Amino acid sequence: MDEDDGQPLQVASPPLPSSLYSTNMVKEFRIGGQLVLAQTSKLLDPRRTVYRLELKQPLFLPLIQFFATCCPRIRTYYPGWFLPPIIILKKRKAGWEDEFDREKQVYEVLKPLQGTVIPYLYGEGVYDGSPALVLSFIRGKTVYELLREGRLPEDKDLEALRNCLEDALRALTGYGVEYTDMKTDNFLLSDDGRATVVDLEQAELNRANVWEGSTNNANVDHLMYQLSEPRRLALRRSTGQGLLPIPGAAKGQLVHYRG
């Protein structure tokens, strides 16, 4: 990446060939002591221990969930029966104990934002002998994925993207959370046009909750400046494919991307 006038845009490494991704890596995990089985599993990034799981659900699940309305304790003893069909399992990386604990703290502080600005945290599970976060699956694409597919040729597209990212980081600022991991693959554009912030293990707590002059505000400025430079959008892909235009946004609203 070109670095002549500032720090380089932090983007993910070029993706590995799809053949290197295992489609059935996670068979089961535990949450609340209950064993949960996975029907399908996909590693989302070769550099991270993050998986998208399609869960096996018993045929009598609707009946169980019906009885839970009368006996809420069922949810406490059998949390796995109340997970959605698709979830994200984020296993703690080796040597990242402090970061894992920090991410749990951040999710607790940002509990009112779960399911919107950040994923929803269903709880802590255990996979392969290590703790793991059980998170909601959000349909959409990261900014990095969109940049791989195309570019932002018009100002209105950049402005819509800026507004989306700013809304998300402004919400974090309101809870005194400073987001420091400004990589394009950490911002997911969901189908409803919102930006969801993921990977919270490097966020800082107990910061000022004022937007103007905040680090979050400056990070948006820095990120958008670099995205606006066409030469910085030349992601070095081994395939050599060119960048295709990203569909424009109407009336300042982000288009809905299907993942």
Side-chain angles (χ1 to χ4, degrees), residues 109-154:
V109 170
L110 298 179
K111 194 169 185 177
L113 301 181
Q114 290 186 24
T116 55
V117 176
I118 62 174
Y120 186 84
L121 175 62
Y122 295 107
E124 181 176 339
V126 177
Y127 165 60
D128 194 26
S130 297
L133 300 181
V134 183
L135 303 165
S136 60
F137 167 68
I138 300 173
R139 194 172 299 278
K141 291 186 178 181
T142 65
V143 175
Y144 172 71
E145 289 174 313
L146 296 177
L147 291 178
R148 281 181 50 214
E149 297 173 1
R151 58 190 173 193
L152 301 170
E154 300 179 14

Side-chain angles (χ1 to χ4, degrees), residues 147-150 233-244:
L147 291 178
R148 281 181 50 214
E149 297 173 1
L233 300 179
L235 303 178
R236 298 169 183 175
R237 303 177 59 194
S238 59
T239 59
Q241 296 180 5
L243 297 176
L244 302 175

Side-chain angles (χ1 to χ4, degrees), residues 195-233:
T196 300
V197 185
V198 300
D199 285 347
L200 305 175
E201 62 264 21
Q202 297 185 49
E204 300 290 339
L205 298 171
N206 302 316
R207 295 297 191 259
N209 60 358
V210 179
W211 175 250
E212 297 301 329
S214 68
T215 298
N216 286 341
N217 190 346
N219 281 340
V220 173
D221 289 337
H222 182 65
L223 180 62
M224 295 310 302
Y225 170 75
Q226 295 188 84
L227 288 175
S228 67
E229 295 293 320
R231 57 191 171 80
R232 296 187 186 275
L233 300 179

Side-chain angles (χ1 to χ4, degrees), residues 5-250:
D5 58 355
Q7 297 179 356
L9 176 63
Q10 299 181 61
V11 298
S13 303
L16 295 178
S18 58
S19 60
L20 297 184
Y21 287 72
S22 173
T23 57
N24 285 287
M25 302 185 69
V26 180
K27 297 294 185 180
E28 60 187 37
F29 68 95
R30 289 186 177 274
I31 181 171
Q34 181 187 6
L35 184 66
V36 180
L37 302 179
Q39 182 172 311
T40 64
S41 170
K42 180 180 180 182
L43 179 65
L44 296 183
D45 188 318
R47 302 163 303 138
R48 301 172 178 172
T49 51
V50 182
Y51 307 86
R52 183 177 66 208
L53 306 183
E54 182 180 352
L55 304 181
K56 289 183 179 179
Q57 297 181 316
L59 295 177
F60 54 87
L61 183 59
L63 184 61
I64 294 175
Q65 295 179 343
F66 172 77
F67 281 117
T69 60
C70 303
C71 184
R73 285 190 177 184
I74 295 178
R75 291 179 175 269
T76 302
Y77 295 119
Y78 302 99
W81 284 342
F82 299 91
L83 294 175
I86 301 177
I87 58 99
I88 298 296
L89 187 70
K90 184 175 183 179
K91 178 186 174 184
R92 187 183 70 189
K93 291 197 296 186
W96 281 57
E97 290 81 6
D98 291 343
E99 289 83 356
F100 184 83
D101 290 339
R102 170 63 58 85
E103 186 158 22
K104 289 193 297 181
Q105 287 181 300
V106 175
Y107 269 102
E108 182 61 28
V109 170
L110 298 179
K111 194 169 185 177
L113 301 181
Q114 290 186 24
T116 55
V117 176
I118 62 174
Y120 186 84
L121 175 62
Y122 295 107
E124 181 176 339
V126 177
Y127 165 60
D128 194 26
S130 297
L133 300 181
V134 183
L135 303 165
S136 60
F137 167 68
I138 300 173
R139 194 172 299 278
K141 291 186 178 181
T142 65
V143 175
Y144 172 71
E145 289 174 313
L146 296 177
L147 291 178
R148 281 181 50 214
E149 297 173 1
R151 58 190 173 193
L152 301 170
E154 300 179 14
D155 290 341
K156 64 180 180 180
D157 295 301
L158 287 172
E159 187 62 26
L161 179 58
R162 179 193 179 88
N163 291 339
C164 194
L165 298 175
E166 183 174 308
D167 287 345
L169 289 181
R170 187 187 289 268
L172 268 59
T173 303
Y175 287 86
V177 175
E178 181 181 291
Y179 192 75
T180 61
D181 198 8
M182 294 292 293
K183 295 194 291 289
T184 53
D185 53 351
N186 285 342
F187 296 90
L188 190 148
L189 303 182
S190 57
D191 285 352
D192 58 8
R194 293 177 306 192
T196 300
V197 185
V198 300
D199 285 347
L200 305 175
E201 62 264 21
Q202 297 185 49
E204 300 290 339
L205 298 171
N206 302 316
R207 295 297 191 259
N209 60 358
V210 179
W211 175 250
E212 297 301 329
S214 68
T215 298
N216 286 341
N217 190 346
N219 281 340
V220 173
D221 289 337
H222 182 65
L223 180 62
M224 295 310 302
Y225 170 75
Q226 295 188 84
L227 288 175
S228 67
E229 295 293 320
R231 57 191 171 80
R232 296 187 186 275
L233 300 179
L235 303 178
R236 298 169 183 175
R237 303 177 59 194
S238 59
T239 59
Q241 296 180 5
L243 297 176
L244 302 175
I246 292 177

